[in-house]
């Protein structure tokens, strides 16, 4: 194989300049000719019948074009379960649910008209806790649940109320496993709801052509083709009657898939006589009325032998789904599946329940359930090691997955870089060595900890791409991967340049428009480098082969005597000969001519999990492995956890762009540290989020970020492009657990609930001091 | 976020002119300095000004000067960034400069003024505790003349001061004091861009190098309806040698003098505990540097 020219290099991002100079147009910036402005009335009740909804005054307000309610937009949508109305229809299920919307000539008029809408509620029992919502006798949040259209993989629990998914994994016999163990430990961990806090809030622009009825939506959506499919099902329109155009997306982290503001913009656009409608959510609306990450309660019970052999593990997880199913079924399935951790365990039982509650809708969030279960599993694993008197590193080395292991879901793993990440991260933090922390002083305790994860990707899925080359030698990639800030345009350009052997600067990305771009599953699940990377690679190879035919004719040679280099085709042997790709296309196809290569990739072995036992021989196209380690200084007098250093080692298969990989890991760490120490959506007893702004929803600032060391491990995936796996999500997944373990190591007591705020840690220290030193704090209730 | 209703903006160049505008235009007017509190009140909290009097062109209010008697005058329009970087302030009262440096971000501090922070009178105003322990006075100008109010009597309640609507805060005056050493601890979860969960300022005068306090002032922010002095805690220190035990006693006392609330940020109980701990720490931080010349000490090198 020829040496790689541009793949593997840290070339500068293709979208970098436009973004730092402010030229890039994001969804939120879009201005359309003749557009009108939409504003929304949101529910103030967590669960209530709408007794009365009077929009007369709003309708008659000067400057108002239309007011729409659930009656005017009687559509429902849903990815896994078709349960979500465009606008509340007779009933609200959470505080922040859109009830009605107004379109007016300007935003202030629209907002003023929203204030004129009268609504009367009749309250119903509300559930703000997943376990209460599925307790026997609980009032159903969706009376009609049995009749909703559901995807095949959805597995509701018929005898309990309000369950929208029950995931089951059964391997061996846990009762037997516990019996054969020397130590059995059960603990309970909690993770709160958090917000995605993407820099760009949500928005959508929509237009309905009065003549054809065609619907066009401009929206920064991370899965435009899925949105197209969902909309087509919801509106009862054929797919060709809908078009999505994707401007730049200012981050999403999972919050911008499915439908968010789109239904409101579309409902209004049907009544504005062809004028486009802009609906922008402000920050509080984005926090309260789009989606959140799932809060979760994880009960984990393990049996181990005295020598550290894991015998059995049982995990029960309640995922708070919020008012609508959204992506809860798949978060529950794919988040619960590896919840026992990346370990060889003969007896495993997992029950994951996604439960409807009367809170904001929970959905996809970078990591798709793994961060929540890792918080439990990795701390629990440390606790087991501690009780057995075994070093946590040694304990893990004894039990972690290595090549050839059969997982508890029945898949034989290959290309497992986990052990290398574990060794490198622990070495990086100085595991087992004395700390040279600068914060050594009275009342400050230093501690270290680490955590490992494994993350699957959505499987099977398909990506398709076209690569065209024109008569000036410029290649254009037509791919449905959304530039959500992760750098896909750069690495896909690197891949095309690599295969065509043209200068990197000669590659362009076509803007994303569902009318012209071939179908792609989604920009989610860390799947794009692998799937779309393969598709673009195949498309570039296809184009190259077509050009090779032209070159062979032009140079009077056979195909296999050709070498592509720097935009030219050369003869490998014999008399010298060279011709540029541009000239070949010009001569063969004329000035407007283009060569078009096609590529499509599906991981064909991929198989859904069996709904009875959760097994699959190929549950994921590839797995992502990571270990992160942290050193903390805990101030016992205040409860402040200061993060001194973090070391993150990630198996990426092959780093197509190492700088981009480090960017993903660092970005992930910053999110992970925020989730560990600060972030929580605080919901009051009436279901209202009390901190829906950056004043009280604390993200890290650059001054809060510790020294970060990112280590790239390359354990190649033979089917991935150049060996690549994925990296978008894992950066934040083990972080809170690593910090939790470090805090436990510092204090000698464990904290079971996230986040580790100054106040929570303070009271934990106080209660530890009150208890006699022999008594262990456990999370078991 | 709501776009404000249209209103008139006046840009006077003198105090007199500013006051006259208030007189002729009547009620419903607001002064604006940096606007970092006012603009948010208008856009997010439903404040509807009839008119705004922008003070930024009144240049005499933008200076810090030292009088011959050693007192300092800080003009109301001095920005937080100017206070933070002023050599005069850094040399005389580095902890006051540091309290200004705790506000928001550099961008905010380039606009936010000392007068605005004090006049806005939030319980968590970051320069208030440091000014309180320096026995600062507020100079206030009204149509009927000038008056001077000790800062300790200036704050009346959350966002309430002794000033009338039409009165202008012109200066903060810090009387001459010798040998004052102080400390301000802003205690909040994040390193920057956060409101104080608890703010503690202390200012001490030591008799000699033996750590006997001849004068002690302690002020607390964010734990009462206004920034307050902790006078009982001060009394504990008076004429005593500042040891760790004494600092602890003073901290315990300060914790009983405040009346914090529970809110989305933290519980009242925790805030009270943090008053205790941080009062002690502020006192000990001062004691730790008693033999050195006064200087700016980086946040990371202080115990907080
Ligand atoms: C992002 C951000 C972060 C912040 N962080 C902090 C922080 O960490 N700590 C902190 O204490 N504050 C913080 N603030 C609040 C604010 O910046 C400060 O209170 C600032 O000092 C206010 O000054 P200003 O000049 O901007 O006041 P303005 O907004 O101009 O005025 C505030 C109020 O005081 C009145 N006023 C102003 N000047 C006078 C005067 N001379 N005479 C009479 N009345 C007057 C105005 O009418 C108005 O009611 C923050 C604000 C923002 C937006």
């Amino acid at each position: 194989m020829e040496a790689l020219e541009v793949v593997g290099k840290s070339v500068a991002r293709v979208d970098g300049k436009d973004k730092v100079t402010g030229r890039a147009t994001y969804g939120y910036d879009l201005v359309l000719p003749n557009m009108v402005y939409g504003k929304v009335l949101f529910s103030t009740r967590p669960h209530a019948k709408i007794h009365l909804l009077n929009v007369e005054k709003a309708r008659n307000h000067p400057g108002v074009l239309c007011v729409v309610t659930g009656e005017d937009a009687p559509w429902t949508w849903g990815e896994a379960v078709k349960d979500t109305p465009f606008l509340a229809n007779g009933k609200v299920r959470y505080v922040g649910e859109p009830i009605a919307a107004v379109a007016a000539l300007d935003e202030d008029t629209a907002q003023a008209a929203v204030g004129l809408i009268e609504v009367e509620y009749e309250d119903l029992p509300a559930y703000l806790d997943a376990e209460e919502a599925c307790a026997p006798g609980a009032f159903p949040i969706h009376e009609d649940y049995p009749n909703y259209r559901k995807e095949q993989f959805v597995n509701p629990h018929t005898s309990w109320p309000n369950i929208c998914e029950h995931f089951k994994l059964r391997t061996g016999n846990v009762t037997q496993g516990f019996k054969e163990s020397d130590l059995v430990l059960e603990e309970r961990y909690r993770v709160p709801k958090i917000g995605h806090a993407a820099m760009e809030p949500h928005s959508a622009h929509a237009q309905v052509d009065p003549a054809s009825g065609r619907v066009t939506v401009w929206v920064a959506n991370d899965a435009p083709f899925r949105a197209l499919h969902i909309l087509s099902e919801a509106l009862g329109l054929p797919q060709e009657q809908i078009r999505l155009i994707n401007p730049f997306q200012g981050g999403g982290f999972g919050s911008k898939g499915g439908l968010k503001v789109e239904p409101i913009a579309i409902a209004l656009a049907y009544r504005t006589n062809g004028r486009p409608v802009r609906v922008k959510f402000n920050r509080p609306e984005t926090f309260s009325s789009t989606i959140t990450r799932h809060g979760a309660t994880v009960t984990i019970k393990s049996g181990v032998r005295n020598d550290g052999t894991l015998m059995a593990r049982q995990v029960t997880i309640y995922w708070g789904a919020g008012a609508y199913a959204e992506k809860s079924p798949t978060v529950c399935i794919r988040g619960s599946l590896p919840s026992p951790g990346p370990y060889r365990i003969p007896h495993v039982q997992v029950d994951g329940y996604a439960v409807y509650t009367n809170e904001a809708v929970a959905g996809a969030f970078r990591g798709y359930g793994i961060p929540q279960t890792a918080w439990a599993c990795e701390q629990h694993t440390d606790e087991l090691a501690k009780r057995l008197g075994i070093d946590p590193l040694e304990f893990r080395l004894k039990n972690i997955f290595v090549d050839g292991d059969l997982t508890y879901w029945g898949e034989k793993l290959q290309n497992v870089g986990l052990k290398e990440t574990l060794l490198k991260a622990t070495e990086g933090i100085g595991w087992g060595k004395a700390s040279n922390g600068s914060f050594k002083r009275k009342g400050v305790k230093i501690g270290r900890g680490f955590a490992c994860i494994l993350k699957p990707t959505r499987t099977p899925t398909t990506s398709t791409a076209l690569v065209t080359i024109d008569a000036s030698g410029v290649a254009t990639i037509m791919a449905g991967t959304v530039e959500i800030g992760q750098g896909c345009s750069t690495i896909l350009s690197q891949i095309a340049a690599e295969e065509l052997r043209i200068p990197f600067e000669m590659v362009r990305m076509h803007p994303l428009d569902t009318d012209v771009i071939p179908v792609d599953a989604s920009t989610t699940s860390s799947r794009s480098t692998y799937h779309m990377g393969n598709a673009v690679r195949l498309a570039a190879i296809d184009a190259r082969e077509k050009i090779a035919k032209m070159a062979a004719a032009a140079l009077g040679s056979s195909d296999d005597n050709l070498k592509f280099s720097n935009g030219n085709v050369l003869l490998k042997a014999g008399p010298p000969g060279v011709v540029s790709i541009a000239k070949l296309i010009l001569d063969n196809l004329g000035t407007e001519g283009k060569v078009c290569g096609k590529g499509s990739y599906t991981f064909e072995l991929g198989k859904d999990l069996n709904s009875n036992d959760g097994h699959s021989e190929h549950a994921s196209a590839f797995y992502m492995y990571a270990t992160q380690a942290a050193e903390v200084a805990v101030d016992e007098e205040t409860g402040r956890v200061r993060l001194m250093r973090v070391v993150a080692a990630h198996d990426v298969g092959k780093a197509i762009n190492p700088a981009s990989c480090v960017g993903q890991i660092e970005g992930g760490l910053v999110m992970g540290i925020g989730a560990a120490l600060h972030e929580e959506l605080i919901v009051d007893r009436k279901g209202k989020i009390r901190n829906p702004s950056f004043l009280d929803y604390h993200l890290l600032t650059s001054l809060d970020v510790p020294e970060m060391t990112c280590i790239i491990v390359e354990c190649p995936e033979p089917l991935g492009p150049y060996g690549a796996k994925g990296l978008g999500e894992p950066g934040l997944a083990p972080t809170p657990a690593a910090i939790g373990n470090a805090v436990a190591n510092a204090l000698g007591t464990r904290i079971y609930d996230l986040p580790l705020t100054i106040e929570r840690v303070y009271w934990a220290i106080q209660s530890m001091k009150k208890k006699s030193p022999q008594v262990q704090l456990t999370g078991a209730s | 976020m709501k776009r404000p209703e249209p209103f008139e903006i006046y840009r006077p160049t003198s105090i007199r002119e500013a006051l006259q505008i208030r007189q002729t235009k009547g009620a419903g007017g607001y002064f604006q300095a940096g606007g970092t509190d006012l603009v948010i009140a208008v856009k997010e909290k439903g404040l509807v000004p009839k008119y705004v009097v922008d003070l930024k062109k009144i240049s005499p209010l933008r200076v810090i000067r030292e009088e011959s008697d050693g007192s300092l005058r800080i003009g109301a329009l001095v920005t937080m960034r100017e206070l933070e970087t002023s050599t005069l302030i850094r040399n005389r009262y580095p902890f006051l400069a540091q309290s200004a440096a705790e506000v928001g971000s550099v961008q905010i501090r380039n606009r936010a003024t000392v007068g605005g922070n004090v006049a806005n009178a939030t319980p968590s105003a970051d320069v208030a505790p440091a000014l309180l322990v320096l026995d600062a006075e507020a100079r206030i100008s009204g149509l009927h003349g000038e008056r001077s109010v000790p800062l300790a009597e200036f704050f009346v309640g959350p966002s309430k001061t002794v000033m009338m609507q039409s009165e202008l805060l012109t200066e903060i005056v810090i009387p001459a004091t010798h040998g004052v050493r102080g400390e301000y601890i802003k205690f909040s979860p994040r390193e920057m861009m956060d409101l104080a969960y608890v703010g503690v300022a202390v200012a001490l005068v030591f008799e000699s190098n033996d750590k006997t306090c001849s004068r002690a002032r302690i002020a607390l922010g964010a734990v009462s309806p206004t920034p307050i002095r902790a006078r009982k805690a001060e009394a504990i220190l008076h004429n005593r040698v500042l040891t760790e035990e004494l600092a602890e006693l003073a901290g315990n006392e300060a914790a009983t003098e405040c009346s914090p609330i529970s809110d989305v940020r933290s519980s009242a109980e925790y805030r009270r505990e943090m008053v205790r701990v941080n009062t002690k720490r502020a006192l000990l931080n001062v004691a730790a540097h008693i033999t050195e010349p006064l200087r700016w000490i980086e946040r990371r090198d202080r115990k907080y």
Side-chain angles (χ1 to χ4, degrees), chain B residues 40-66:
Chain B
I40 289 175
V42 171
K43 285 192 166 179
E44 294 189 352
K45 295 175 189 162
L47 182 79
V48 186
K50 247 175 74 190
Y51 65 100
V52 163
V53 180
D54 182 351
L55 304 172
K56 282 196 289 293
K57 287 201 165 162
I58 310 180
S59 32
L61 297 186
R62 308 191 54 169
V63 290
I64 305 177
R65 63 173 202 274
E66 186 170 22

Side-chain angles (χ1 to χ4, degrees), chain A residues 106-167:
Chain A
D106 63 72
E107 218 166 81
D108 291 346
T109 305
Q111 190 64 63
V114 165
L116 299 175
I117 299 174
E118 291 167 65
V119 46
E120 275 173 26
Y121 300 99
E122 183 189 323
D123 287 325
L124 296 168
Y127 299 95
L128 304 173
D129 177 89
E131 281 169 88
E132 280 171 27
C134 66
F139 191 90
I141 294 169
H142 289 269
E143 317 74 347
D144 240 5
Y145 182 78
N147 304 323
Y148 291 153
R149 194 273 297 141
K150 298 177 196 71
E151 286 296 320
Q152 234 183 343
F153 57 75
V154 174
N155 182 26
H157 195 292
T158 41
S159 56
W160 293 5
N162 291 321
I163 302 268
C164 65
E165 169 68 27
H166 175 196
F167 169 77

Side-chain angles (χ1 to χ4, degrees), chain B residues 31 33-38 40 103-104 112-113 116-117 120 126 169 186:
Chain B
F31 289 124
T36 59
D37 279 319
L38 187 75
I40 289 175
V103 172
T113 64
N117 199 239
N120 201 53
D126 270 314
L169 175 64
K186 174 178 186 168

Side-chain angles (χ1 to χ4, degrees), chain A residues 435-722:
Chain A
S435 161
N436 54 359
S438 54
F439 253 93
K440 265 191 192 163
R441 63 182 187 209
K442 209 179 120 207
V444 173
K445 294 258 168 84
I446 307 288
R448 292 200 187 125
F450 61 89
C452 318
I453 58 115
L454 151 153
K455 182 175 187 306
T457 186
R458 188 180 161 216
T459 300
T461 61
T462 300
S463 285
T464 306
L466 303 177
V467 172
T468 64
I469 307 164
D470 65 20
S472 60
V474 169
T476 301
I477 301 171
M478 302 183 75
T481 298
V482 183
E483 180 57 81
I484 54 178
Q486 82 283 43
C488 66
S489 350
T490 308
I491 61 152
L492 295 177
S493 299
Q494 282 177 271
I495 291 171
E498 186 67 51
E499 292 305 331
L500 294 166
R501 298 276 155 161
I502 61 173
F504 176 65
E505 303 72 46
M506 299 284 276
V507 184
R508 306 266 176 280
M509 286 293 295
H510 193 289
L512 216 173
D513 176 339
T514 57
D515 267 8
V516 294
I517 299 288
V519 171
D520 176 43
S522 60
T523 305
T524 63
S525 208
S526 313
R527 62 176 291 282
S528 299
T529 302
Y530 176 95
H531 292 88
M532 190 56 86
N534 268 329
V536 167
R537 182 167 172 269
L538 294 172
I541 292 172
D542 185 34
R544 189 181 71 203
E545 281 167 0
K546 290 180 182 165
I547 295 164
K549 288 221 164 57
M550 297 176 184
L555 297 170
S557 159
S558 65
D559 282 16
D560 52 9
N561 190 30
L562 299 174
K563 181 179 147 73
F564 280 68
S565 174
N566 200 29
N568 295 313
V569 191
L570 300 89
L571 293 180
K572 275 196 222 165
V578 59
V579 60
S580 73
I581 291 177
K583 182 162 165 38
L584 285 172
I585 294 171
L586 186 66
D587 291 351
N588 283 277
L589 303 170
T591 44
E592 301 83 24
K594 270 183 190 171
V595 166
C596 180
K598 293 184 193 130
S600 186
Y601 184 83
T602 311
F603 178 69
E604 276 162 1
L605 290 172
K607 252 173 72 188
D608 268 344
L609 305 170
N610 177 309
S611 65
N612 292 321
D613 62 7
H615 283 223
S616 165
E617 280 162 35
H618 292 285
S620 179
F622 57 88
Y623 289 89
M624 294 165 272
Y625 304 98
T627 304
Q628 295 183 352
E631 182 175 284
V632 299
V634 186
D635 186 333
E636 285 194 303
E637 274 190 323
T638 60
R640 185 188 297 277
V641 175
R642 270 203 184 75
L643 210 48
M644 311 306 293
R645 284 188 308 137
V646 286
V647 180
H650 287 254
D651 173 16
V652 306
K654 162 78 186 169
I656 307 272
N657 185 323
S660 207
C661 289
V662 170
Q664 281 300 309
I665 299 171
E666 288 185 342
L669 282 170
V670 171
M671 273 183 115
I673 298 167
L677 302 181
H678 299 288
E679 293 181 47
E680 173 171 21
L681 287 170
I682 300 168
V683 180
D684 70 16
R685 294 222 305 276
K686 290 178 177 158
K688 187 172 168 6
I689 294 174
R690 289 186 61 201
N691 56 341
S693 87
F694 289 141
L695 178 62
D696 287 315
Y697 187 86
H698 282 159
L699 300 175
L700 294 197
T701 73
S702 52
L703 288 176
D704 299 294
V705 175
E707 181 188 315
M708 300 185 278
T709 309
C710 303
I711 300 168
I712 295 172
V713 168
E714 293 183 323
C715 183
E717 180 65 42
L719 293 178
Y722 317 97

Side-chain angles (χ1 to χ4, degrees), chain A residues 159-458:
Chain A
S159 56
W160 293 5
N162 291 321
I163 302 268
C164 65
E165 169 68 27
H166 175 196
F167 169 77
K168 276 186 296 201
L169 186 126
R170 301 286 183 267
T171 298
N173 177 338
V174 283
T175 319
Q176 184 66 26
F178 291 137
K179 259 193 218 142
E180 292 168 11
S181 301
D182 297 316
L183 169 73
V184 175
L185 175 69
E186 181 175 323
E187 295 174 312
R188 196 174 159 90
Y189 291 85
R190 284 194 187 82
V191 181
K193 285 171 109 59
I194 64 173
H196 299 69
M199 208 184 292
E200 178 199 29
H202 286 62
S203 67
H205 293 68
Q207 183 172 28
V208 179
D209 179 55
S212 64
R214 197 156 193 260
V215 178
T216 304
V217 188
W218 294 258
V219 61
N221 187 303
D222 68 25
F225 294 95
R226 183 156 56 190
L228 188 105
H229 169 80
I230 298 170
L231 278 173
S232 136
E233 187 201 50
L235 298 171
L237 287 179
Q239 294 205 9
E240 64 272 15
Q241 278 290 82
I242 305 169
R243 176 184 184 190
L244 269 85
I245 299 172
N246 244 64
F248 270 124
Q249 188 177 122
F253 310 111
S255 71
K256 288 176 182 160
L259 303 182
K260 300 290 167 300
V261 187
E262 295 88 336
I264 300 163
I266 293 169
L268 288 169
Y270 269 106
R271 281 153 199 269
T272 54
N273 220 355
R275 293 179 74 169
V277 182
R278 162 197 275 187
V279 182
K280 296 208 302 198
F281 276 8
N282 59 26
R283 185 60 63 182
E285 291 165 355
T286 294
F287 267 117
S288 306
S289 303
T290 61
I291 55 168
T292 70
R293 186 168 92 174
H294 288 79
T297 306
V298 185
T299 304
I300 181 164
K301 180 176 176 185
S302 299
V304 272
R305 289 254 171 88
N306 281 332
D307 67 356
T309 309
L310 267 171
M311 296 301 295
R313 192 163 262 186
Q314 182 176 3
V315 189
T316 308
I317 312 163
Y318 290 90
W319 305 91
Y324 295 98
E326 232 271 344
K327 289 192 177 64
S328 284
T330 47
V331 169
C332 177
I333 293 168
R334 277 184 266 135
S336 303
L337 171 73
S339 62
Y343 305 106
R344 282 185 302 273
I345 317 170
H347 304 285
V348 176
Q349 177 169 336
V350 178
D351 289 277
Y353 303 97
V355 190
Y356 283 125
T357 64
N358 295 109
E359 295 178 291
V361 183
F365 188 113
R366 194 179 194 181
Y368 225 70
I370 305 299
Q372 292 97 317
T373 55
W375 166 250
C377 167
E378 284 302 283
Q379 290 210 84
H380 177 72
T381 300
D382 255 36
E383 199 59 42
L384 286 171
K386 183 175 155 188
R387 288 175 194 224
L388 291 172
I390 300 177
D391 181 275
L393 175 57
E394 200 184 307
F395 185 87
R396 285 188 178 72
L397 285 171
K398 194 177 173 80
N399 292 292
I400 50 164
F401 286 146
V402 293
D403 275 4
D405 275 347
L406 186 67
T407 65
Y408 41 83
W409 61 90
E411 176 165 359
K412 200 169 167 196
L413 291 180
Q414 297 297 347
N415 324 305
V416 184
L418 181 61
K419 187 170 169 187
E420 197 179 337
T421 68
L422 178 59
L423 293 173
K424 289 199 162 146
T426 47
E427 188 197 343
I429 206 75
W431 186 256
K433 299 204 185 91
S435 161
N436 54 359
S438 54
F439 253 93
K440 265 191 192 163
R441 63 182 187 209
K442 209 179 120 207
V444 173
K445 294 258 168 84
I446 307 288
R448 292 200 187 125
F450 61 89
C452 318
I453 58 115
L454 151 153
K455 182 175 187 306
T457 186
R458 188 180 161 216

